[in-house]
Amino acid sequence: MSTNKINRMLLLFHKLIKGEHIHKADFARTHDVSERSVERDIEDIRIFLSEIHSNDKLIFDKLENVYYLLTTGNNDKLNNIESIVLLKIILGTRALVKKEVEFVIKSLRLNLSPQDRKEIIHSIQDEINNYISPVHNKPLLDMLNNLNKAIMNKMIIKIDYVKDNGTEHERILMPVAFIFSDFYFYLIAFIEGKEYKYPAFFRVDRIKKFSVLNRKIVEDLSKKYDVGKMRYYLQLMYAGELLTIKVKCQNSLVTTFQNMVPDHWLIKDYGDFKIFGAKIFDKGFVHWALSQGTAIEILEPENLRQMMKDEIQKMNEIYKD
């Protein structure tokens, strides 16, 4: 039974925007029209896209004898490889429990063509099958969503927080942002009633519950605290004092050091090793430097060098026979 032109064009357009490839002969046969009629329908859709200044282009693949919609220019959808890369990052960080990862994958796939969906699954199937949820095993997307709304609306919140040692504490916070680092999401916030040069960090998975209070943050914390800039000085999400340091770095560690400490500068290259200056928070940097063994040496300031010596001495005591 022949399909009228309007319904046929709507069906064609619907298939194209879903990312399907239209085989001219098959479509004509299914809808009891000539291939020439399908060509005219396609041309009308092409003219329509041109008139509305769409970034999408209708392409005819002569080899396959199919039409498909090519998105170009300022397209707000992720393409296939962008989606795969994003999913690889999500899987690699192990930031979310498996059910939430599967939900994110499903959401991303909905915006892709059937062929691209198959490619994505082929690219990440082994990683999905062997994915291990973080130890806390706590769904976080809903809490992150609610925290983000509180941050955007500049609302003061109250949290029940479980510390490393298992003790629970109630805190009234002025949240600034949340970020991800080294397996965990962190809420960055100032504790109400306390004077701090820098905000505190709270692991989101350790927030037992939180509520939004009926009070707004009066102070403009965005001017006081630059999330993006401070991240350059943080290692392993330990803060402390912000220092300018000098380190001796073996060549084998140079690239790792440069990635781990973005705010750095080369002072002198000695061939076998390099001397760098950098801005860091002391506690986090010492924790990281200890894991690098003899590949890095803190030269200045003396108080940070001493902090490193003290930690090495404590480690030495543990391993004494």
Side-chain angles (χ1 to χ4, degrees):
M1 186 175 179
S2 179
T3 311
N4 69 55
K5 182 177 177 67
I6 293 175
N7 287 345
R8 195 171 63 240
M9 282 184 62
L10 287 172
L11 181 62
L12 264 174
F13 193 52
H14 178 66
K15 286 178 174 291
L16 288 166
I17 60 176
K18 284 201 305 179
E20 294 185 26
H21 287 204
I22 307 297
H23 192 280
K24 183 170 57 174
D26 288 349
F27 190 87
R29 186 164 49 253
T30 301
H31 297 281
D32 195 21
V33 294
S34 67
E35 290 188 30
R36 181 61 186 146
S37 294
V38 178
E39 289 175 4
R40 284 195 292 266
D41 293 343
I42 291 289
E43 186 58 30
D44 287 339
I45 293 173
R46 186 179 280 117
I47 291 168
F48 168 72
L49 291 172
S50 175
E51 287 176 348
I52 64 170
H53 305 289
S54 171
N55 291 313
D56 298 340
K57 290 183 178 179
L58 243 176
I59 306 296
F60 178 61
D61 186 331
K62 292 180 181 178
L63 253 157
E64 299 290 331
N65 198 32
V66 295
Y67 292 94
Y68 64 93
L69 204 58
L70 177 68
T71 54
T72 59
N74 299 321
N75 180 32
D76 58 358
K77 291 183 180 179
L78 292 172
N79 62 32
N80 189 33
I81 190 60
E82 290 168 344
S83 298
I84 290 173
V85 168
L86 186 57
L87 290 174
K88 291 278 187 181
I89 292 170
I90 291 170
L91 289 163
T93 59
R94 290 183 53 225
L96 302 171
V97 295
K98 190 170 184 176
K99 282 187 178 180
E100 290 186 324
V101 170
E102 289 171 343
F103 173 78
V104 172
I105 292 170
K106 183 179 178 181
S107 298
L108 280 173
R109 288 179 70 231
L110 287 175
N111 292 316
L112 299 171
S113 69
Q115 180 59 36
D116 286 346
R117 291 175 196 172
K118 289 179 185 176
E119 286 185 23
I120 278 189
I121 291 302
H122 178 75
S123 297
I124 63 174
Q125 190 64 64
D126 286 345
E127 290 169 88
I128 296 169
N129 292 341
N130 295 288
Y131 185 81
I132 299 174
S133 296
V135 174
H136 61 72
N137 204 31
K138 183 177 179 180
L140 296 177
L141 289 179
D142 284 344
M143 181 174 283
L144 289 170
N145 182 43
N146 292 328
L147 285 171
N148 192 54
K149 286 177 181 176
I151 293 164
M152 295 297 292
N153 293 319
K154 298 183 178 179
M155 301 300 293
I156 294 173
I157 64 173
K158 179 172 73 173
I159 69 168
D160 289 347
Y161 189 72
V162 181
K163 298 185 77 173
D164 289 356
N165 59 11
T167 59
E168 291 186 27
H169 297 267
E170 185 181 280
R171 292 283 185 266
I172 307 296
L173 304 177
M174 296 180 287
V176 179
F178 75 82
I179 63 173
F180 176 82
S181 179
D182 302 303
F183 298 105
Y184 303 113
F185 286 100
Y186 291 86
L187 174 67
I188 302 174
F190 287 93
I191 301 173
E192 189 179 56
K194 293 190 178 182
E195 282 296 323
Y196 287 105
K197 193 173 181 181
Y198 304 105
F201 304 92
F202 300 88
R203 263 179 48 183
V204 174
D205 60 284
R206 287 186 178 158
I207 298 175
K208 198 170 181 181
K209 63 179 180 177
F210 89 95
S211 56
V212 179
L213 305 182
N214 193 26
R215 292 191 285 133
K216 285 215 168 194
I217 301 169
V218 178
E219 188 179 1
D220 189 355
L221 296 177
S222 62
K223 290 183 179 178
K224 186 176 181 179
Y225 173 68
D226 186 336
V227 177
K229 191 173 182 181
M230 188 174 176
R231 285 205 69 167
Y232 289 149
Y233 310 139
L234 281 169
Q235 285 77 44
L236 309 177
M237 292 310 296
Y238 286 91
E241 288 297 313
L242 183 63
L243 301 175
T244 299
I245 65 168
K246 185 188 288 187
V247 297
K248 176 183 176 181
C249 192
Q250 299 297 325
N251 286 339
S252 60
L253 191 68
V254 165
T255 302
T256 303
F257 170 81
Q258 289 173 323
N259 285 323
M260 196 67 179
V261 187
D263 194 350
H264 66 268
W265 53 93
L266 180 65
I267 294 174
K268 192 164 183 179
D269 187 343
Y270 285 92
D272 292 337
F273 63 88
K274 294 176 175 59
I275 304 296
F276 285 100
K279 274 192 174 182
I280 51 89
F281 281 103
D282 55 3
K283 291 180 182 177
F285 185 78
V286 166
H287 275 77
W288 175 77
L290 284 167
S291 69
Q292 304 308 312
T294 58
I296 192 166
E297 178 186 355
I298 297 171
L299 303 176
E300 297 176 6
E302 182 55 38
N303 64 326
L304 188 67
R305 186 177 172 86
Q306 187 59 49
M307 188 186 296
M308 188 76 166
K309 287 179 182 178
D310 292 343
E311 290 297 322
I312 293 170
Q313 183 61 38
K314 290 175 189 175
M315 291 172 69
N316 187 50
E317 290 295 325
I318 291 172
Y319 291 101
K320 266 187 177 180
D321 292 329

